[in-house]
Amino acid sequence: MTAPVTDDGRPIEGGAEPILELVGVRAGYGAIEVLHGVDLVVPRGSLVALLGPNGGGKTTTLRVCSGLLRVASGELRVAGRTVNGAAAHDLARVGVCSVPEGRGIFPNLTVRENLWLATGTGVARDRVESVAFDRFPRLGERRNQLAGTMSGGEQQMLAIARALATEPVVLILDELSMGLAPLVVSALYETVAELASSGISVLVAEQFAKTVLPIAQSAAIMLHGRVVRVGEPAAVEEELASAYLGG
Amino acid sequence: MPALEVSDVSVRFGGTHALQNVTITVEEGSVTGLIGPNGAGKTTLFNVVTGLLSPTGGRVSLHGRDVTAAAPARRARLGLARTFQRLELFTSLSVRDNIRVAGDIRNGWGRSHRINVAKETERIIELTGLGDIAGRDVADIPTGRARVVEVARSLMTQPTVLLLDEPAAGQTEQETEVFGVLLGRLADSGLAICLVEHDMSLVMRVSARLHVLDYGQILAVGRPEEIQNDPAVIAAYLGGAA
Amino acid sequence: MHLFLTYTIFGLVLGGVYAIAASGLVLTYNTSGIFNFAHGAEAMLGAFLYWEVRYGWGVPTPLALILVLGVFGPLMGGLLYLVIMRGLRNTAEVTKVVVTVALMLGMLYLSEWFWNPQTDRTVVPFFGITSQVKILGADVTTHELIALGTAVLIGLGLRLFFYRLRIGVAMRGAVDDPGLLELNGHNPERIAALSWAMGSFLAVLAGVLLTPISGGALQANSLTLLVIDAFAAAVFGRLRSIPRTYIGALVLGLAASYVLAYSPKTWQWASNFRVSLPMIVLFVVLIVLPQDRLRGASVARTRERAHLPSVRSAVIAGAALVVVVVLLRQLMNDSDITTITLGMTFAVIALSLTLLTGYAGEMNLAAVSFGAIATMVSYHIGVTGHGLASRSTLWGIVVGVIVTAVVGAVVSLPALRLRGLYLGLATMAFGVFLTDMVLMDSNPHRIPLIHTKFSLFSGGAGINSLVIPPLRIGPLDLHDGTTFLVTATVVFAVLGIGLVALRNSSYGRRLTAMKDSPAASATLGQSLLRLKLSVFMLSAAVAGLGGVLMSMALGSVTPDNFSIFLSLSLLMLTVVAGISYVSGALMGGLLSGVGFALIVSTFHDLASRHGSVHGLFSFLASFATVTPALIGIGVGRNPSGSVHDFVDSYRSLRHRPRVLVGGGAVEAVLYVLSLTNVLGHWWFAILTSVLVMFLPLVGQMSDPARREQEAAAVPLELAGIDSPYSDGLRAELDRALGIEDLLPPERLARSRRNGRRSDGSGDRSMTEPLGAGVGDAGT
C-alpha cells in the first residue's frame, strides 16, 4: 500500500470548502488499531462514496465521523473546526446526521415514536412526520406499527426519513443496501441523490459501488484501514472490480 | 458422502428471511468458498450449522448424520469446528493457552479422544506460524494474527469439518498469502473447509468450489472462474439489476 | 367470605406496593444495565428519613412527603447514577453486582449509624389507624386505599410517561440502542440519570407506603430485603416488562396474604413460610424461565485483569503464610487468636468465591448459607462426647461437605441454564430462604417412620442455636486455640495451592475459556452445563468446609451467623481485594471476619476510655462501619481488585533484589522489637503495613531504568539542547509550531506516524464492542 494521495481528495468542484474532514485519523478498539491514518474530505454540497470490501475500515471511519468512536490521533473537522472528542449527541445537534449500518431504527418503538426521537436535534415533531410521510407514504400507513416488524426496505426508509426531516448539514450513511433487494436500494439512493442536490453534503459507505457511483461526485476506496485511492467516480470504478473480486 | 450437508435451511428473524431454502455441501479434502455481500446471511448460516441458532426449517448433517437438533458441543464431537467473524478469543488466556484449552476440551470428551495436548499445541503453533507471539496476551495482538489464533484453536479439536468466518479480515497482504498456503495444506490433509471471506483473491485462489449467497438465498454454485464471470454474481456484488 | 375479602384486599395492597418497588427496579435495570441490589435499601433510607422528618422534626405529613418523595428520592437516585453507576461500563457482571451490594450494605450501616436499631420507631398510617372505610363489609384503612390507589396511579403514570412523553420514548429507545439515541441528538447519560432518579423515587415511595401496612415498625433489615420481593415480581416480567411485573407483584401479594389467612394453626412454620414466599416464588420462576440463547461476549474485554501465579510460587506463598501466622501468634493474646482464626475460616469460605466467580465467572451470593448446611449436617451426625468433652468428627465434616456439594448442585442446576445474574438471584433467594425458614426450624418435629423427634436447627428445647464443638482427629485437637489457628491456616494454604493448581490445569483453563466466551467454548465441544455444575458443586463444598470451621471457631451459632448480609459483605470484600486471586480471598476473608470488627471495637474502646473526645472516637467507629461499603462502591474504579495492583507493583521489584532484601530486614527488626515488647503491637501492625505499601514505591524511585525514562521526557523548549533530536521530538515540535500544514504529504505522514498519540485512546475507545452477538443476521 502506498501512502494515501491526499491531494486527489481535494475539492473537485471549483474549490468548495470541506464540510467534513479527516486528517491522518487513527482509531480502533482497545489495543487494536483499525484505521491507520485516514485522510478524507467531504466538500460542502457534494456526495462522497466510500467504497471497498469488508474489513477495510469503512464502518469504523463513519463511527469516527459521527462521534461514536473517538479519534486516537489525527483530526476530525466539521466545517473547518476540529471536533475531536465531541460527543455524538453534540455533533448530531450541530447537524451531523448519521444512519448506522444495519438500519438506524429502534425496532421496539413504533414508526411514529422513531420519528419523534428524531426531534432530538431540535426539529418540530409535526414537521418530521409530515416530511417523512410525504416522502414515504408507506411509512404513513404503518405509523403505529413497531418498526422492527416492517420489511428491511421500510426500515431503511424510516432511517432515511430522519435524515430528510432534520435537515442536517452532513449526512453519513453506512451500507444502506445491506440485505435489501436491488430495486429497493436504487429507490433509496434516488432519495439520497435528491438530498444531495438540495445542498446537503453526504458521505456514503457502500459495498455495492454501482448503485452509488452514478450519484457521487467523488469516490474513495478503503483497504486495510487506509484510503488508498480517491478520485472521480468513473476513474475509481475501473479499479473496483479488482479490489472486490481480485485480479 | 459430503462431510457437511446443509439442505433447505431457512431462518426467519421477525418478519425478514435471513436464510431461505439454502442448500450447500462441503466436501472432504477441499476448500469450499461461501461468498456474498454483507448481510447475505453467511454468519447466520454458520450459526445454524454449529447449533448456536435453530433453523425454522431444513436439515444439517455431518458425515451423513442428522445433527439439526444437536447441541453445539455434540456437533463439535462429531468433528465440526469454526472461527468467529467477531473474534471470540479467550481474552484472559495467552495465545498458547487459547490453543491449548481447545485440546483440553477435546480431552474432556472421553478416553477414546485423548491427545497429547502439550505436544499437539506446539505442533499447531508451528503449523500456523504463531511461534513469535505464543506467549503474549491475546488482547494485545493485531486482529490479523488473532484470526489465525482462532483457526489454530479450532484445529486443536482435530476437526474434520472447519468453518472459517472471514479469517483474512484484518490480515496484511503477506499474512493472507501465508494463510492461503496454510489453507491449501489443511485441505490436502483431508479437512473439509468452508470459507467465508471477502478477500476475493484468497477465495479464488484456494477454493475448489464456490457458493454465492445473496439475500439469504443461494445465487450460484460453481468453480471460481465460472463464478468470477457470472454476470448475476457481478451484479450482486456491484449492485443494480442483473 | 368476609375473611376472604379482607385478605384479598390486603393482598392487593401488598402487591401494589411490591409493584411500585419492582417497577423502579425494572426501570433502572433496562436503561443502565445495572441490577440494583440497593433498591430495597433506598426504600429503607426513604422510610427512615420520612420517619425522622415527620416524627423527629414534627413536619406536617404533606410537607414531609414532598421533602422525602419529591426531593430526597429523585436526588438520591440521580446522584447515585452520576457519581457511581456511570463508571460501571465495561465491567464484569459481578463487579456491577458488588457495587450495588456494597451500596446496599453501606446504606444499611448508615441507617444504623443515624438511627439506633435498638430504638422502636413506628410509622402511623396516613390519617391514623382508625380512619377506615367499609368495602362490601370488610374494613379497609384509608392508608391501604391510598397505597392501592397510588399503585394504580403509578402504573398508569408510567404507561403515559413511556408512551406519551418524548423522554419516556427515548428511555425505551435506550433499551434498544443507546448509540443510535445519541445519533438522534439525545444524551443517554442524562436519560439514564433520570431513570435512576425515577427508580429511587419509586423505591422511596414503596418504603413509605409499606411500613404501616406491615405493622408499622420500622426495621432496616426487612425493608432492605424488600428488594427480594421486588426481584421476584420483576422476574415475572423477565426484568423487562412493567405490566407483567405488576401482575407478578399482585400474585405475590395475594399469595402472601392467603398463606397468612388460611394456613392451619398447626403449621408453626407458616409465618416463616410467608416471609420466605417471595424467595420461593423467585426460585420457581427462575426455573421455568426459558433458556437464554448462547451469545458471544457482549463486550470486547471487561476491565478486570488477573495474573496467574505458578503452582511453585503458590506453594512458597502458602508455606510463607503458615510461617507468618505462627510468628504473629507470638504477638497475640487469646482473644486475638480466636478473632484471627475466625477470619481465616472466612477466608476459606471466600476461596469458594475465587473458584466460582474469579475462575469460572459464575455468581453465588449466599456462600455463607452453604456453610450453614455443612454445619447442620456435621452437628447432627458428627459430634461425639458430651459437654466440654464433646468433639466434632472428621466424618461429620466430610459428610457435611458432600451434602453441601449436592445441595449446591440442586440449587444451581435450574439456574445454570441462565445467565450469571439470574444464578446470583437464585442463590440469594436460596440464602434468604435458608435463614428465614430452614434455620428457624427449632421446634422438634416427630419424624413419621423412625418415631424420633428432630429439628434442623436447634440444640434442644426450642433454642434456635447450635453448639459446634471443636474438631478432633486422632492427636489433633482443635480445642487449643493455637492449634486451631494453625490448622485453619494450613487448610487455607492447602486449598489455596490446590486452587492455583486447578487454575493451571486443563480444568482451570476450560473454566476460564467458558468465562471468556461461552459460545466459543461450546462450539469447541465443551458441555457448558456439566462444567458449570461441577464448578458450582466444588465451590459449594469449599464453602461448606469453611462454614463448618467458622461455626467451630464461633463455638455456637445462630441463624444470624449465616445471614445473607454476611455472604454479601464477604463477596464484596473479596471482590475489592481481588476475586481472581487466592490472596484476594485471604484478604477478603480476614477483612470481613476480623478487620473492620477489630477497628470498630478499637474505636469504641478508645471512645469509652477518653471521655473528652468521646464524640470523635464514636464518630470514627461509626464511620469505620460504613468504610467497607465505601471501598466496595469504589470497586467500579478498580474492578481487578487491590491485590492485582499490589501484585503489579511487586512485579516491578522482581529484578531489584536489594530493595526486597532491605525491606525484609527492616520487617525482621520490627518483629524482634515487637516480640521483646520494645514496640507496641499496634505500632508493629501500622509500621508493617506502611512498609509493605511503600516498598514498591521505594523500588520505583531508585529504579535506574525509570530515571532514564524521566530524562527522556524533555520539555520542548530544551529539545536539541538537553537531548538530541529524535523523530518523535521532531513531530512534537512540528505539531507545536503548526508546521505540519506546510509540509509535503509524505513527510507529514511520516512525522505523524512517529508523533505521540496525544488524544488518548483511553476509556472511551474501550467502550466499543468488538464482539457483539454472534447470532446477528449480518455477515
Side-chain angles (χ1 to χ4, degrees), chain C residues 18 228-230 232-233 252 256 273-284 429:
Chain C
Y18 287 161
I228 296 202
D229 307 48
L252 219 57
F273 179 70
R274 192 190 78 83
V275 176
S276 318
L277 194 68
M279 276 57 91
I280 296 164
V281 168
L282 175 59
F283 208 80
V284 171

Side-chain angles (χ1 to χ4, degrees), chain C residues 389-462:
Chain C
S390 67
R391 291 289 182 271
S392 293
T393 59
L394 184 64
W395 159 253
I397 294 187
V398 168
V399 175
V401 165
I402 292 172
V403 170
T404 311
V406 173
V407 172
V410 173
V411 169
S412 64
L413 195 56
L416 282 178
R417 307 169 305 124
L418 305 164
R419 268 181 306 137
L421 176 67
Y422 287 100
L423 178 58
L425 288 178
T427 53
M428 186 167 171
F430 168 74
V432 179
F433 167 73
L434 202 76
T435 30
D436 280 359
M437 186 108 190
V438 180
L439 301 192
M440 289 296 172
D441 181 52
S442 56
N443 290 317
H445 315 283
R446 190 173 293 282
I447 297 180
L449 288 174
I450 39 182
H451 299 292
T452 44
K453 285 200 170 182
F454 179 78
S455 61
L456 286 170
F457 204 89
S458 172

Side-chain angles (χ1 to χ4, degrees), chain C residues 547-567:
Chain C
V548 179
L549 290 176
M550 178 193 86
S551 304
M552 266 178 222
L554 288 167
S556 147
V557 287
T558 65
D560 279 348
N561 291 114
F562 304 99
S563 128
I564 189 75
F565 293 114
L566 210 59
S567 296

